Amino acid sequence: MTNLRAKGKSTIVWILMGLLILGLGGFGVTSFTSGSSDIGSVGKTKVDGEDYGRAMRSELNNYSQQAGERLTMEQAQAMGLQQSIQSQLFTAAALQEEARRIGVSVGDQRVVQSISDAPAFQGPNGSFDRTAYSQILAREGLTESEFEQRIREDEARMLLHRAVSGGVASPATMVEQTVEWLLQTRDISWYEVTEAELTTPVSEPDEETLKAWHSANAERFTAPEKRKLSYIWLTPEMLVDEVDLDEQALRDAYEERINQYRQPERRMVGRLVFPSAEDAQSAKDRLDAGELSFDDLVAERGLTLEDIDLGEVTRSDMGQAGDAVFAMEQPGVIGPLQTDLGAALFSMNGILEAVDVSFEEAKEELGSEAAVDRAARMIESQMSEYEDMLASGATLEDVAEETPMEFGTLDWSSDMEPEEQSIAGYNSFRDIAEEIGEDEFPAIERLEDGGIFALRLDEITPPTLIPFEEIRDRVAEDWRREELKRLLLARAEEVRLGAVALDNIVDRNAENGDDVPAAETPADEPASPEQAEPAVEPVGTPLDWTTQTGLTRDGWIEGLPHEIVSQAFTIAKPGDIEIADAGGRVFLFRLDEIGAADQKSEEATRIAESVKQRISQSLQNDIFSYYTQAVQKNAGISVNQAAIDAINAQVQ
């Protein structure tokens, strides 16, 4: 599925929404099952409930794998997952309805090409495998004619999409302004105001001041809710010593994972296909001449490196290009080479040596993993017994005494740092510990590693203001930190005003032609008649500024908080001086000069191309969204909420 999506041969649902995992291999099948309840329609086109159910199950599984815990339907609804999938399905139905209404269709040749190109139906040699095609369709309960009709409908939707959003280009002015904004540079100077130059040092607070600070900032000194918990738990690691493994079981496990322990030499490869051998050779010539990089070639084809990535491949996976690619001794680009898809350049990005781990070498690892796996199955088989004990009135202490489960207590809070190998380190435990009530009976729950636990809430201590006497030093430290910050900011403002005044005086004297202040001019030297007004003597002390030139938006200055860089790009004009409070330190920073982006540089060209693609894609998506909304409005939408609710209940 992933490979085909990367090649851009998926359905319009994949291309535009990218979430639904529908059908066979994600290459154009919106449903393999007929006769299920519809969840709605757009005009005369139905939205199949089986599609919705399959998509919901798939997305719930995806999110659960990423989070490491099962995502519930309530959580999915809070995330808007159900609404998102429904929107995508109705959007696809709107396209199909409009294609039907205006008579858009594709010929048999296009259908054959789409099926032939689908990886799900390709054999070991990369060519279409009729046997695999028939077997997969039979397994999914589809006839070839039904499946091919679905392909035809998906291709028609693709045609309609390209007609609606194709040709939309980003405005050149917008691209240029964006590149200018991204690549603009700034010269800045900064000066740190430190405690050493405070005219008034930080005083020592008395007890009344600290107590008042403690009361006024109670949220800083309040302990979170504490929960006294009792629990029993059992993990596979606790039972490992009780597991007996025979030699044959380990050998069976070794054979099951033989692809992990024995692998041929592999290469990490990207394949960039061209319309003709001449085009591929021309691209290789430009690459060899240093006119552009391989990444640039990929971008010229309207693709990304992810689109062309073949992953880890063996020599046989590469077909007729395998010998040439595997003859390369270091990463690089080779080609053109002929493939089933046409002439292509191959980017070989890494060499993975062959793996050959014998059974004896893998035995220890297999034993450890097999023991844990066997222990997890033992826990699973005993879980109902423990549930029955709790349901019949046994306490946690009773269950721990009569079973291998271990009893423990914990003073738990949401901000606690769990000890190593503590039950508090499990997300499933933490979730229930946060929500369980005092009147709830303990129930067996699962841990992420195959273990189980049951939990009882014995006592709740609500959030409580920690007595002043217990944290006096902490309060004093907090007060001093805030007081120092206040004084530094006040001093920074004084210094800033002095620096601004000094700059203004220097500017006035420069305009009047004075290189030195009037007070330093010899008394017996007459004033110049052209001088419009007397020079002004500066006030304040010049600051020892530190200067950084050519600063970019994503740049950084060693030893300074990143906020300084961010704020430097908010100053309106050169000469302005601002104050920055960052990381507990206070700075003055001055904008000296704004450097325009070099729009003709290689970097600007690369960024402009990326910006152009992003803006174009955004505009295309907007146009397509408006178009499908209009189609839905004109055709009319009906939603079967009862069917949706029923499917949600089944999925859960």
Side-chain angles (χ1 to χ4, degrees):
M1 180 183 346
T2 302
N3 288 342
L4 192 50
R5 280 207 310 273
K7 296 182 182 68
K9 304 206 180 282
S10 54
T11 65
I12 193 65
V13 175
W14 282 114
I15 294 228
L16 300 177
M17 280 69 75
L19 282 176
L20 297 185
I21 299 183
L22 304 175
L24 210 173
F27 65 89
V29 185
T30 53
S31 175
F32 280 118
T33 308
S34 59
S36 61
S37 299
D38 298 326
I39 64 169
S41 64
V42 179
K44 297 181 180 180
T45 300
K46 305 296 184 182
V47 180
D48 185 32
E50 182 65 22
D51 293 348
Y52 175 66
R54 183 181 291 114
M56 279 301 308
R57 285 189 292 271
S58 179
E59 288 307 299
L60 284 173
N61 289 336
N62 287 343
Y63 277 95
S64 297
Q65 290 175 3
Q66 295 173 15
E69 58 184 83
R70 183 64 186 170
L71 185 73
T72 67
M73 286 296 289
E74 290 76 14
Q75 292 171 320
Q77 187 170 10
M79 294 167 55
L81 188 59
Q82 299 169 3
Q83 294 81 355
S84 175
I85 292 175
Q86 292 168 30
S87 173
Q88 294 160 19
L89 284 171
F90 277 91
T91 296
L95 283 179
Q96 185 172 336
E97 171 65 13
E98 185 67 1
R100 180 199 64 79
R101 187 185 70 81
I102 64 179
V104 173
S105 185
V106 296
D108 293 342
Q109 184 177 359
R110 180 59 187 168
V111 174
V112 170
Q113 181 181 348
S114 294
I115 294 175
S116 300
D117 290 345
F121 301 141
Q122 291 179 358
N125 62 356
S127 300
F128 176 72
D129 188 330
R130 159 63 68 176
T131 302
Y133 179 60
S134 300
Q135 289 176 347
I136 293 174
L137 293 189
R139 186 170 66 242
E140 299 296 341
L142 276 180
T143 66
E144 291 186 10
S145 60
E146 289 173 335
F147 177 74
E148 289 160 9
Q149 178 59 29
R150 295 181 184 278
I151 292 292
R152 196 181 306 277
E153 291 171 354
D154 288 335
E155 290 292 345
R157 291 200 292 262
M158 293 278 286
L159 284 175
L160 194 56
H161 167 250
R162 286 192 289 266
V164 171
S165 57
V168 176
S170 54
T173 301
M174 183 181 295
V175 173
E176 184 177 339
Q177 289 178 345
T178 303
V179 173
E180 176 67 32
W181 186 87
L182 289 171
L183 295 184
Q184 183 186 87
T185 64
R186 297 203 168 193
D187 297 347
I188 69 168
S189 297
W190 76 89
Y191 174 81
E192 183 171 6
V193 180
T194 64
E195 184 176 359
E197 60 187 276
L198 291 178
T199 56
T200 303
V202 181
S203 60
E204 289 298 325
D206 55 27
E207 291 299 292
E208 292 303 316
T209 299
L210 291 180
K211 289 180 179 179
W213 185 258
H214 175 259
S215 299
N217 299 277
E219 70 283 354
R220 302 186 189 182
F221 310 113
T222 296
E225 177 183 271
K226 297 286 186 181
R227 293 182 155 223
K228 186 174 182 58
L229 304 174
S230 295
Y231 63 90
I232 52 175
W233 68 322
L234 183 63
T235 67
E237 285 75 10
M238 296 178 184
L239 295 180
V240 164
D241 293 340
E242 301 180 20
V243 174
D244 293 325
L245 295 172
D246 55 30
E247 181 85 359
Q248 188 57 47
L250 294 180
R251 288 191 177 275
D252 291 343
Y254 177 76
E255 291 301 324
E256 289 176 2
R257 300 167 57 179
I258 194 66
N259 290 336
Q260 173 184 335
Y261 293 116
R262 290 185 177 176
Q263 298 181 30
E265 183 181 0
R266 289 150 294 147
R267 296 283 194 271
M268 300 177 67
V269 178
R271 178 182 61 192
L272 183 59
V273 180
F274 289 84
S276 67
E278 292 76 15
D279 291 334
Q281 186 60 57
S282 174
K284 184 63 163 58
D285 293 341
R286 295 167 62 202
L287 184 65
D288 293 341
E291 296 179 13
L292 75 179
S293 66
F294 186 75
D295 291 2
D296 296 331
L297 283 178
V298 174
E300 282 187 355
R301 301 282 295 146
L303 301 170
T304 66
L305 293 178
E306 181 179 316
D307 294 332
I308 68 166
D309 183 31
L310 299 180
E312 299 176 9
V313 295
T314 63
R315 185 187 299 267
S316 61
D317 292 335
M318 297 293 296
Q320 54 190 315
D323 290 342
V325 172
F326 274 72
M328 301 175 68
E329 297 181 355
Q330 59 184 7
V333 178
I334 191 173
L337 300 176
Q338 196 60 37
T339 71
D340 292 340
L341 299 177
L345 298 182
F346 288 86
S347 172
M348 196 275 282
N349 305 311
I351 299 175
L352 302 176
E353 300 295 339
V355 176
D356 189 7
V357 179
S358 68
F359 170 72
E360 295 302 327
E361 293 172 321
K363 188 174 181 180
E364 182 177 351
E365 177 186 357
L366 288 169
S368 299
E369 295 181 4
V372 171
D373 183 65
R374 181 77 61 84
R377 291 199 297 270
M378 290 172 57
I379 292 174
E380 181 71 25
S381 66
Q382 297 166 352
M383 183 173 172
S384 59
E385 176 187 342
Y386 304 153
E387 289 175 331
D388 291 343
M389 293 178 67
L390 290 174
S392 63
T395 64
L396 297 181
E397 292 83 352
D398 294 336
V399 175
E401 185 175 340
E402 299 178 23
T403 72
M405 298 192 76
E406 297 182 2
F407 178 83
T409 60
L410 181 68
D411 290 329
W412 186 87
S413 64
S414 57
D415 65 342
M416 73 177 296
E417 290 292 334
E419 298 179 3
E420 187 175 356
Q421 298 183 335
S422 165
I423 191 173
Y426 290 87
N427 289 331
S428 52
F429 176 87
R430 296 175 68 87
D431 290 343
I432 295 178
E434 178 77 27
E435 299 174 0
I436 190 172
E438 290 182 281
D439 57 347
E440 294 186 39
F441 291 101
I444 298 294
E445 305 287 351
R446 298 179 188 272
L447 295 169
E448 293 91 305
D449 61 356
I452 56 176
F453 73 98
L455 182 64
R456 181 181 70 216
L457 175 61
D458 297 326
E459 182 182 348
I460 294 179
T461 302
T464 306
L465 179 64
I466 305 173
F468 171 77
E469 291 73 16
E470 295 181 15
I471 54 170
R472 183 196 180 283
D473 291 344
R474 176 178 157 190
V475 175
E477 181 182 350
D478 188 75
W479 180 90
R480 189 184 192 285
R481 182 171 55 251
E482 292 299 319
E483 179 66 7
L484 176 59
K485 175 182 174 180
R486 183 185 70 80
L487 293 175
L488 287 176
L489 288 173
R491 176 57 182 164
E493 180 61 22
E494 294 175 2
V495 176
R496 188 187 74 84
L497 292 175
V500 170
L502 182 60
D503 287 346
N504 289 339
I505 291 171
V506 171
D507 290 342
R508 284 182 56 188
N509 290 343
E511 291 174 1
N512 294 332
D514 290 293
D515 295 329
V516 295
E520 299 179 10
T521 303
D524 57 350
E525 210 175 288
S528 170
E530 291 82 9
Q531 187 169 324
E533 55 182 284
V536 181
E537 184 174 358
V539 294
T541 303
L543 299 180
D544 185 16
W545 295 98
T546 301
T547 299
Q548 175 77 35
T549 61
L551 187 64
T552 58
R553 290 183 185 275
D554 61 349
W556 59 283
I557 302 174
E558 186 174 0
L560 295 189
H562 184 70
E563 292 93 324
I564 295 293
V565 176
S566 300
Q567 286 191 247
F569 280 86
T570 65
I571 303 180
K573 62 182 185 297
D576 285 356
I577 301 175
E578 300 289 347
I579 297 174
D581 169 22
R585 300 161 67 186
V586 175
F587 297 86
L588 293 175
F589 62 101
R590 180 185 67 202
L591 176 60
D592 297 329
E593 186 175 347
I594 298 176
D598 181 3
Q599 296 277 355
K600 296 182 179 180
S601 68
E602 181 178 341
E603 182 182 17
T605 302
R606 177 178 56 80
I607 292 178
E609 185 62 32
S610 176
V611 169
K612 185 185 303 181
Q613 292 179 8
R614 289 177 180 271
I615 294 176
S616 296
Q617 185 64 53
S618 178
L619 293 174
Q620 290 170 5
N621 289 343
D622 289 344
I623 290 174
F624 179 76
S625 177
Y626 294 140
Y627 174 77
T628 54
Q629 290 175 22
V631 170
Q632 292 171 353
K633 181 178 180 181
N634 293 334
I637 294 181
S638 65
V639 179
N640 186 347
Q641 190 60 48
I644 292 175
D645 293 340
I647 294 172
N648 288 342
Q650 293 173 1
V651 171
Q652 181 62 41

